[in-house]
Amino acid sequence: MKKLNLGCGDRKLHGFVNVDARADVAPDAVCDVRHIHEQFTDVDLIYACHVLEHFPSKPFPFQPVTWKEVIQSWHQALKPGGVLRISVPDLRAACEYY
């Protein structure tokens, strides 16, 4: 089973290919998660925890790739029937906790 942990940072998951754009965190694969389909195909499971919120809804000069384009790339990397699991911050819960 091919499983990717996108934007892993220092949090590596056993049994996953841990992917990050930063080589200094020593991922299994150094890759730009915006274009994951260019490096990975036929993936069974993609897990992205606190990654998607870094992409805008509209392109900007400093970040021309939108979150919709990122999800499209992730979808292209999945095999038919593959699973995409996304975790993003809950702003309301964070404010209530604060």
Side-chain angles (χ1 to χ4, degrees), residues 6 32-37 48 51-52 54-56 63 65-76 84:
L6 301 183
D32 184 342
V33 299
R34 297 176 299 178
H35 310 288
I36 204 73
H37 71 284
V51 176
L52 197 60
H54 294 277
F55 301 100
Q63 182 52 274
V65 180
T66 67
W67 63 266
K68 288 180 185 178
E69 293 169 304
V70 171
I71 289 178
Q72 288 171 345
S73 174
W74 297 352
H75 182 260
Q76 284 180 290
L84 174 60

Side-chain angles (χ1 to χ4, degrees), residues 1-95:
M1 191 171 198
K2 190 187 301 185
K3 302 184 289 186
L4 303 180
N5 174 22
L6 301 183
C8 67
D10 294 325
R11 186 172 176 213
K12 312 296 188 307
L13 298 179
H14 178 71
F16 283 73
V17 176
N18 295 286
V19 179
D20 205 288
R22 296 174 34 213
D24 64 305
V25 296
D28 300 318
V30 176
C31 183
D32 184 342
V33 299
R34 297 176 299 178
H35 310 288
I36 204 73
H37 71 284
E38 294 174 2
Q39 189 164 337
F40 295 96
T41 58
D42 295 322
V43 177
D44 296 286
L45 171 66
I46 293 176
Y47 176 65
C49 182
H50 296 276
V51 176
L52 197 60
E53 66 269 18
H54 294 277
F55 301 100
S57 58
K58 297 180 202 174
F60 290 100
F62 64 89
Q63 182 52 274
V65 180
T66 67
W67 63 266
K68 288 180 185 178
E69 293 169 304
V70 171
I71 289 178
Q72 288 171 345
S73 174
W74 297 352
H75 182 260
Q76 284 180 290
L78 289 169
K79 71 179 190 179
V83 175
L84 174 60
R85 292 197 175 154
I86 299 171
S87 176
V88 293
D90 181 340
L91 185 57
R92 182 177 304 199
C95 289

